[in-house]
Amino acid sequence: MDFLWRAIDETEPGPKWAALFHEYWPDYHRWWLREGEEPRPPYWESKQALKEHMPELLPLYERLCELAGGGDHAARFLSFWRPPPYLSGCSQAIWPGREPVLVRNYDYSPRAFDRLMLRTGWLGRTVLGTSDGLWGLVDGMNDAGLAVSLTFGGRRIVGEGFGVPLILRYVLQTCETAEEAGRVLARVPTHMSYNVTVLDAKRRFLTALMAPDRPAQITHAAVATNHQKTVEWMSHARMTATVQRERFLLQRLTLHVEPQEKFISAFLRPPLYSTAYSLGFGTLYTAVYRPRLGQMELRWPQASWAFDIKEFVEDARAIYTPDHGYRVI
């Protein structure tokens, strides 16, 4: 199927974001209530969690709630506090050449995805990234030359914490270096296990292994797939081939430094490129971040789309994504 991708630019939260929210809210509302309302935390708890862990975002959160119409469910959803569990695939790695480059595949359901590139100037900082939940991000970079990306950590445990896309937003809004980002990722609670890779303009990088039930581990790993130090969810690991993908990337990084384009192109082929769309784990895009240059691009097997954080151009494109046999899992 052809899925419409959009690139939207709005410096301050306003009518564009409000229109996007009202367009996406019916689907997000159904997802947020899929376990019923009782498991979802109340508004006061959600706001207090933001105030405690990400206080810099509180004025922005309140403005977004206002633009969303001020409803109770919308405000609780936008807090990202203790959301329903969700799983993804994904592979990400730091290219070992001289130019700082972060490359990632996002593996998820094509029908449960925003398909939005957002450039914002919220809180005085320019951020460009791939939207999730309308202000969270699954990957992105900021005007300080910091890039960040996530993969699911391959564990079933759900706990007290935020949905990780809002944590990525927070990192990009408040941090300028990998070291600063590492401190944030070590202290902000996440509701599920995720691996977050960070790269800054001076090519310093780290990967945080985040979990709801144990302290985050800040590592110097240049590769992350869908497990942490060991495989803990064997059926998910087999289904997503997380170990095979990690080994494939580690071999490419350790044997020799290959040209940047060859390294990126490997993400568009198996084993990194997934065709498991019927299971909700097909590769939806490859993202290439060059944070020192303020540039990124989205790639697909037959298309590409380049962006510049300073000279961003709004646009829309239809991108073919296999969707045969899709089912919700």
Side-chain angles (χ1 to χ4, degrees):
M1 294 183 65
D2 285 338
F3 287 89
L4 183 67
W5 282 71
R6 288 177 285 180
I8 304 293
D9 183 21
E10 191 171 50
T11 302
E12 297 295 335
K16 291 181 183 178
W17 188 90
L20 289 170
F21 179 84
H22 291 294
E23 175 186 346
Y24 283 79
W25 177 232
D27 287 334
Y28 270 122
H29 196 197
R30 283 191 292 271
W31 169 77
W32 188 78
L33 289 173
R34 71 182 188 181
E35 299 173 316
E37 184 174 357
E38 184 63 27
R40 306 282 68 81
Y43 167 71
W44 180 250
E45 178 187 332
S46 302
K47 183 176 179 179
Q48 287 301 112
L50 272 172
K51 185 176 180 180
E52 178 182 354
H53 299 289
M54 297 187 273
E56 298 92 336
L57 293 188
L58 202 56
L60 177 57
Y61 166 73
E62 291 174 340
R63 174 58 177 154
L64 295 179
C65 288
E66 179 185 345
L67 289 170
D72 176 68
H73 282 193
R76 291 156 67 186
F77 162 78
L78 288 169
S79 76
F80 275 77
W81 179 246
R82 286 169 43 201
Y86 42 83
L87 312 179
S88 62
C90 311
S91 308
Q92 58 200 26
I94 306 294
W95 179 62
R98 299 180 65 180
E99 174 65 34
V101 180
L102 170 62
V103 188
R104 68 95 99 258
N105 276 4
Y106 187 66
D107 303 343
Y108 199 52
S109 162
R111 293 190 178 274
F113 178 55
D114 287 0
R115 297 188 298 278
L116 287 173
M117 291 300 299
L118 292 181
R119 185 179 76 162
T120 57
W122 299 342
L123 305 177
R125 163 139 283 156
T126 303
V127 172
L128 168 63
T130 312
S131 169
D132 186 74
L134 296 167
W135 72 306
L137 299 165
V138 293
D139 50 68
M141 67 180 178
N142 66 19
D143 54 9
L146 184 69
V148 61
S149 176
L150 66 86
T151 74
F152 176 58
R155 303 177 71 233
R156 295 175 180 267
I157 298 169
V158 180
E160 295 278 312
F162 293 95
V164 73
L166 187 61
I167 301 175
L168 265 61
R169 164 66 69 178
Y170 182 54
V171 166
L172 293 177
Q173 293 291 157
T174 61
C175 300
E176 297 188 356
T177 67
E179 182 181 6
E180 292 173 354
R183 289 197 292 267
V184 168
L185 295 169
R187 70 169 177 81
V188 177
T190 174
H191 85 305
M192 294 189 74
S193 296
Y194 291 93
N195 308 320
V196 178
T197 298
V198 180
L199 172 68
D200 67 23
K202 294 186 178 179
R203 209 183 167 281
R204 295 170 297 201
F205 65 89
L206 59 83
T207 295
L209 310 181
M210 303 179 71
D213 59 332
R214 60 194 185 196
Q217 302 175 64
I218 306 301
T219 76
H220 197 61
V223 169
T225 53
N226 301 125
H227 60 282
Q228 296 190 328
K229 296 259 177 149
T230 60
V231 171
E232 298 179 55
W233 187 357
M234 191 58 66
S235 61
H236 182 271
R238 286 195 297 266
M239 182 172 61
T240 62
T242 178
V243 173
Q244 293 89 334
R245 287 182 286 117
E246 180 188 53
R247 288 174 179 169
F248 177 82
L249 281 168
L250 288 173
Q251 287 175 350
R252 301 190 82 89
L253 294 182
T254 57
L255 292 179
H256 61 276
V257 178
E258 59 188 358
Q260 183 184 135
E261 186 59 34
K262 184 176 181 181
F263 182 75
I264 295 168
S265 296
F267 282 77
L268 293 167
R269 301 188 302 272
L272 300 182
Y273 188 90
S274 170
T275 57
Y277 298 98
S278 63
L279 299 175
F281 292 106
T283 298
L284 302 187
Y285 64 89
T286 298
V288 182
Y289 282 91
R290 300 180 177 91
R292 186 181 65 82
L293 302 177
Q295 298 172 351
M296 69 86 60
E297 59 184 304
L298 297 175
R299 294 195 184 189
W300 300 271
Q302 298 180 352
S304 64
W305 196 357
F307 299 92
D308 190 293
I309 199 168
K310 294 182 179 178
E311 301 178 4
F312 186 85
V313 178
E314 291 192 323
D315 200 357
R317 299 190 181 186
I319 300 296
Y320 174 76
T321 303
D323 192 37
H324 47 78
Y326 170 75
R327 63 184 176 88
V328 176
I329 63 170

